[in-house]
């Protein structure tokens, strides 16, 4: 296989990324800081990563001529877009080094495959997914055990930020929701009594060396990540160690190369349940840019270039606040106005990251702020002040 004989890339060559969103943009910045040049493949010319990249290939994700151009130019290619066609990654992998690989990404693209994989890992990872049942047709709905209610019906593919999910209390609810989603493959998950949510960012090199970042505690609002706090105020040492060990076990069993983020639920009885994984840097890992020796994006560049993985040590407590387009709009107004960035930047420890998107829309991720302060309490105090300023 091509992958086995390519030498590691020095930071004097090109790296490629599939996808032009904010994750791609932050990857471009990190790779460029190390001396790499970066090419982005993305269908939209006006995109956050494209503005920062050294070269933008404006093409569909499955355009073979464009993929061949990207592979020819780049010593390694990664993806920032979870739903990139796995076939495109396989096509690239015949021509250059690709991390993560098509097989890993395709497991993460399919909630059913992902849950089956997690269940298979359980004897060594020590964690199971929530009880679930595949809902592929009406027969499956008839056969739902009562123990799965109340539950959440999720589309197997393409869901993100709580989209493609419906809460259900009965088989009739499932019938309606399943029809409402156009009868696409779904999975019904038991609704679990969550105490809080965490994620574990981990990275693995082509040589099997792996690292795990400090555990992050996440708060969601309307299905979208709202804040990430590290160290998490609710996380005890035992839970952190268990989740980190589980993440390392899962990344090794997947044979994954690159940065992987795994989301877990911590239940009210203290037990740990594995939720889902993202085959790329993750929103909950943005704090690593300002608070860790090696950011998740620099780590991705190192892993794909087959260079030594970087130190994951956190040097300051950190709180990350996502900035959605909502903060551009006062009350019910449709006219956007610029938030008071001067007031935000006056807060101690504030690191403002805006993604260069010019049309703010409600629910759209526009940027984030990470507070790195001498104590977690100060970071949390500044976060509250920022929420007050942004309204
Ligand atoms: P997404 O791809 O949209 O992030 P998730 O499966 O992570 O989808 O679900 C989004 C959020 O919904 C989770 O972060 C959690 O707050 C809630 N949620 C999802 N599944 C469950 C469950 N089985 N029990 C309780 N809450 C859940
Ligand atoms: Mg999630």
């Amino acid at each position: 296989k091509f992958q086995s004989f390519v030498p590691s890339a020095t930071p004097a060559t090109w790296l490629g990324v599939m996808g032009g969103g904010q994750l791609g943009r932050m990857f471009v910045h990190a790779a460029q800081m190390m001396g790499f040049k970066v090419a982005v493949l993305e269908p939209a010319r006006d995109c956050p990563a494209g503005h920062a990249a050294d070269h933008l290939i404006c093409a569909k994700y499955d355009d073979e001529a464009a993929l061949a151009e990207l592979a020819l130019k780049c010593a390694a290619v990664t993806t920032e877009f979870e739903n990139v066609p796995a076939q495109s990654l396989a096509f690239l992998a015949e021509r250059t080094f690709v991390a993560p690989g098509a097989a890993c990404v395709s497991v993460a693209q399919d909630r059913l495959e992902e849950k089956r994989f997690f269940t298979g890992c359980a004897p060594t990872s020590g964690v199971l997914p929530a009880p679930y049942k595949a809902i592929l047709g009406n027969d499956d709905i008839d056969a739902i055990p009562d123990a799965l209610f109340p539950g959440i019906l999720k589309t197997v593919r393409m869901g993100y930020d709580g989209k493609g999910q419906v809460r259900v209390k009965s088989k009739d609810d499932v019938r309606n929701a399943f029809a409402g989603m156009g009868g696409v493959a779904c999975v019904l998950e038991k609704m679990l009594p969550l105490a809080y949510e965490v994620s574990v960012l981990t990275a693995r090199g082509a040589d099997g060396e792996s690292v795990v970042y400090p555990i992050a505690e996440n708060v969601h609002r309307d299905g979208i990540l709202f804040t990430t706090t590290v160290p998490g105020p609710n996380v005890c040492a035992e839970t952190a160690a268990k989740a980190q060990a589980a993440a390392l076990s899962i990344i090794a069993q997947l044979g994954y190369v690159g940065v992987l983020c795994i989301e877990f639920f911590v239940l009210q009885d203290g037990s740990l349940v594995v939720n889902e994984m993202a085959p790329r840097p993750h929103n909950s890992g943005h704090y690593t840019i300002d608070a860790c020796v090696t950011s998740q994006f620099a780590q991705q560049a190192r892993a794909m270039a087959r260079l030594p993985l970087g130190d994951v040590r956190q040097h300051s407590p950190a709180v990350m606040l996502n900035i959605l387009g909502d903060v551009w709009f006062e009350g019910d107004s449709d006219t956007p106005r610029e938030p008071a960035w001067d007031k935000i930047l006056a807060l101690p420890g504030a690191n403002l990251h805006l993604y260069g998107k010019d049309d703010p829309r409600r629910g759209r991720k526009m940027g984030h702020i990470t507070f790195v302060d001498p104590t977690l309490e100060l970071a949390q105090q500044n976060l509250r002040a920022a929420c007050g300023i942004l309204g």
Side-chain angles (χ1 to χ4, degrees):
K1 245 186 138 183
F2 188 86
Q3 323 279 95
S4 56
F5 62 78
V6 280
S8 67
T10 67
T13 56
W14 285 79
L15 298 178
V17 54
M18 295 289 286
Q22 63 266 14
L23 299 174
R25 177 183 175 92
M26 289 182 270
F27 171 80
V28 168
H29 288 152
Q32 285 174 339
M33 266 206 274
M34 293 167 71
F36 290 107
K37 289 195 165 38
V38 185
V40 167
L41 190 155
E42 152 73 39
R45 184 159 299 280
D46 181 17
C47 64
H51 294 310
D54 297 281
H55 182 63
L56 173 63
I57 301 173
C58 202
K60 287 195 182 153
Y61 296 123
D62 59 359
D63 179 327
E64 292 197 346
L67 292 167
E69 183 192 340
L70 185 70
L72 186 66
K73 197 172 191 68
C74 298
V77 175
T78 189
T79 180
E80 64 104 44
F81 172 53
E82 184 156 346
N83 288 310
V84 65
Q87 282 130 302
S88 297
L89 295 181
F91 181 90
L92 287 164
E94 286 165 13
R95 291 159 178 81
T96 189
F97 186 83
V98 176
C104 296
V105 173
S106 87
V107 173
Q109 285 173 344
D110 182 308
R111 287 190 198 274
L112 268 174
E113 270 201 55
E114 187 175 64
K115 286 184 198 306
R116 289 184 191 123
F117 169 73
F118 286 148
T119 305
C121 288
T124 35
S125 73
V127 289
L128 279 166
Y132 70 94
K133 179 170 174 40
I135 306 291
L136 307 176
N138 290 318
D139 293 354
D140 295 318
I141 300 177
D142 295 335
I144 297 171
D146 288 340
L148 285 184
F149 292 114
I152 307 184
L153 189 70
K154 303 180 182 177
T155 57
V156 163
R157 304 187 73 86
M158 296 290 179
Y160 70 97
D161 287 346
K163 292 183 180 68
Q165 300 191 7
V166 181
R167 305 202 162 196
V168 288
K169 290 207 176 80
S170 64
K171 288 184 189 178
D172 276 341
D173 283 356
V174 177
R175 270 184 207 99
N176 289 333
F178 182 64
M181 296 202 262
V184 296
C186 286
V187 55
L188 174 66
E189 251 179 74
K190 185 179 173 65
M191 177 82 87
L192 298 175
L194 310 190
Y196 57 95
E197 296 185 59
V198 294
S199 55
V200 177
L201 193 63
T202 171
R204 186 168 174 277
D207 59 357
E209 179 206 359
S210 41
V211 291
V212 60
Y213 282 87
I215 188 169
E217 185 173 332
N218 301 319
V219 174
H220 297 83
R221 272 197 186 169
D222 302 323
I224 305 179
L225 184 65
F226 177 56
T227 61
T228 294
T229 305
V230 195
N234 288 300
V235 183
C236 66
E238 195 191 330
T239 300
K242 200 175 173 215
Q244 287 178 314
L248 285 171
S249 163
I250 287 168
I251 198 171
Q253 291 188 67
L254 194 53
Y256 186 94
V257 178
V259 171
L260 177 74
C261 184
I262 307 180
E263 296 179 8
F264 296 89
F265 299 141
V266 182
L267 306 192
Q268 280 158 20
D269 66 4
S271 59
L272 199 61
V273 169
V274 59
N275 175 29
E276 61 170 352
M277 59 184 172
R280 49 169 172 75
H282 190 258
N283 198 163
S284 68
H286 291 354
Y287 83 92
T288 61
I289 299 174
D290 302 300
C292 292
V293 176
T294 310
S295 78
Q296 60 172 347
F297 300 101
Q299 198 71 275
Q300 184 78 313
R302 286 170 178 252
M304 67 195 282
R306 285 138 293 144
L307 294 166
L309 295 183
D311 192 336
V312 293
R313 198 160 25 100
Q314 182 182 4
H315 46 64
S316 279
V319 183
M320 192 258 353
L321 173 69
N322 257 347
I323 302 170
L324 301 184
D326 303 61
V327 303
W328 269 254
F329 300 95
E330 227 171 342
D332 292 336
S333 164
D334 295 331
T335 320
R337 49 120 187 89
E338 202 64 17
W341 300 129
D342 53 342
K343 295 204 178 77
I344 294 289
L345 288 167
L347 296 169
N351 290 277
L352 178 63
H353 299 253
L354 291 172
Y355 307 146
K357 301 181 182 178
D358 10 80
D359 51 330
R361 288 195 302 270
R362 288 192 162 84
R364 186 176 198 209
K365 287 177 180 170
M366 300 294 288
H368 69 270
I369 312 166
T370 303
F371 291 99
V372 286
D373 285 291
T375 65
L376 184 61
E377 290 64 35
L378 277 172
Q380 288 171 315
Q381 191 181 311
N382 288 317
L383 169 96
R384 283 191 294 273
C387 290
I389 292 164
L390 294 172

